Amino acid sequence: MTACFPHRITIVTGHYGTGKTEFSVNLALALAGEGERVALADLDIVNPYFRSRERRSLLEQAGIRLIATSQACSDADVPALPAELLAVLEDRSVRGVLDVGGDPSGARVLARYRPKIRGEDFQLLYLINANRPEVRTADSAVRYLRGIEAAAGLPCTGLVNNTHLCGETTPQEVREGAALAEAVSRETGIPVICHAAEARFAEQLQELALFPIELRMKKPWE
């Protein structure tokens, strides 16, 4: 299930609304389910909508260490980075998943740790959701990707098709996202490493390298 994510540190980026937090939580749970020591860092301090720390109980039950900003108040968001993140970067017995803010401003939080990250075994993933109006074309998605790279000072190493409409997603939408991801890959030379979709679609999407997920995050009004 996690063969597409062999690196010790996985940094998850993308336009806000692409489903970074849902993907990050699912990846952390999948790694923990395979016996890995896992830490999930919620570093989304810009435009937070879904927050991985809202699933603290679920994560901790799975043995996952959750590192989050504003831990004293789960509804607060301040531009302060947790000191525990450095410990995760230095402890090579831990698999780290870093959920980073959904725009170049959010990606700047990585700049503080760039020298350390560059010295570790990391991958920086750019999630693509073809249903986001701002990045629904290859050209706009590439421009956004390059802005994140410039802000973070780190190269994107893989693309993930995470096209969805929350609970209204269909297999056809995932396929349309796959086409967009391939177009971005052709333009940038960055490989598409997988397609994230609900596990219930696995049989219908056998032609894709699927990373099956469950919807763990709820909208604020649910």
Side-chain angles (χ1 to χ4, degrees), residues 53 56 68-78 84:
R53 57 186 178 268
R56 179 183 295 276
T69 58
S70 310
Q71 295 197 46
C73 179
S74 62
D75 293 322
D77 291 284
V78 298
E84 298 97 316

Side-chain angles (χ1 to χ4, degrees), residues 8-220:
R8 190 177 74 80
I9 302 294
T10 298
I11 303 168
V12 183
T13 67
H15 193 276
Y16 64 87
T18 52
K20 297 183 306 301
T21 297
E22 187 77 78
F23 177 84
S24 298
V25 167
N26 272 270
L27 177 56
L29 289 168
L31 290 169
E34 295 179 356
E36 299 278 5
R37 292 183 61 214
V38 181
L40 171 58
D42 179 353
L43 303 180
D44 193 346
I45 59 175
V46 178
N47 293 320
Y49 186 60
F50 294 120
R51 302 174 177 90
S52 57
R53 57 186 178 268
E54 295 171 357
R55 293 296 172 267
R56 179 183 295 276
S57 178
L58 171 67
L59 294 165
E60 291 181 346
Q61 286 175 13
I64 297 167
R65 178 182 179 186
L66 178 62
I67 299 170
T69 58
S70 310
Q71 295 197 46
C73 179
S74 62
D75 293 322
D77 291 284
V78 298
L81 299 178
E84 298 97 316
L85 178 57
L86 186 59
V88 170
L89 294 176
E90 293 178 341
D91 186 350
R92 292 179 179 169
S93 69
V94 173
R95 296 287 297 274
V97 179
L98 279 54
D99 178 9
V100 180
D103 62 10
S105 295
R108 289 193 187 100
V109 303
L110 295 174
R112 173 178 172 184
Y113 299 99
R114 182 171 57 236
K116 188 64 182 174
I117 292 172
R118 283 188 174 274
E120 299 299 324
D121 176 28
F122 81 94
Q123 59 184 346
L124 190 152
L125 304 181
Y126 179 70
L127 269 58
I128 294 172
N129 182 350
N131 289 320
R132 295 300 303 170
E134 300 89 344
V135 288
R136 64 174 37 155
T137 68
D139 286 346
S140 60
V142 171
R143 283 196 300 273
Y144 212 85
L145 184 160
R146 296 309 190 197
I148 288 174
E149 287 182 319
L154 296 167
C156 175
T157 61
L159 306 174
V160 173
N161 167 30
N162 196 45
T163 297
H164 68 90
L165 280 173
C166 296
E168 305 301 317
T169 308
T170 66
Q172 182 56 32
E173 284 165 332
V174 178
R175 293 189 182 96
E176 291 172 0
L180 175 59
E182 291 295 343
V184 172
S185 179
R186 287 193 297 271
E187 189 166 335
T188 62
I190 301 169
V192 178
I193 66 169
C194 70
H195 306 266
E198 288 181 78
R200 63 190 174 102
F201 296 139
E203 186 173 341
Q204 297 164 274
L205 296 171
Q206 294 184 45
E207 76 276 15
L208 299 179
L210 202 67
F211 175 62
I213 66 171
E214 294 183 36
L215 297 184
R216 307 281 188 174
M217 307 305 297
K218 294 182 180 180
K219 300 180 180 68

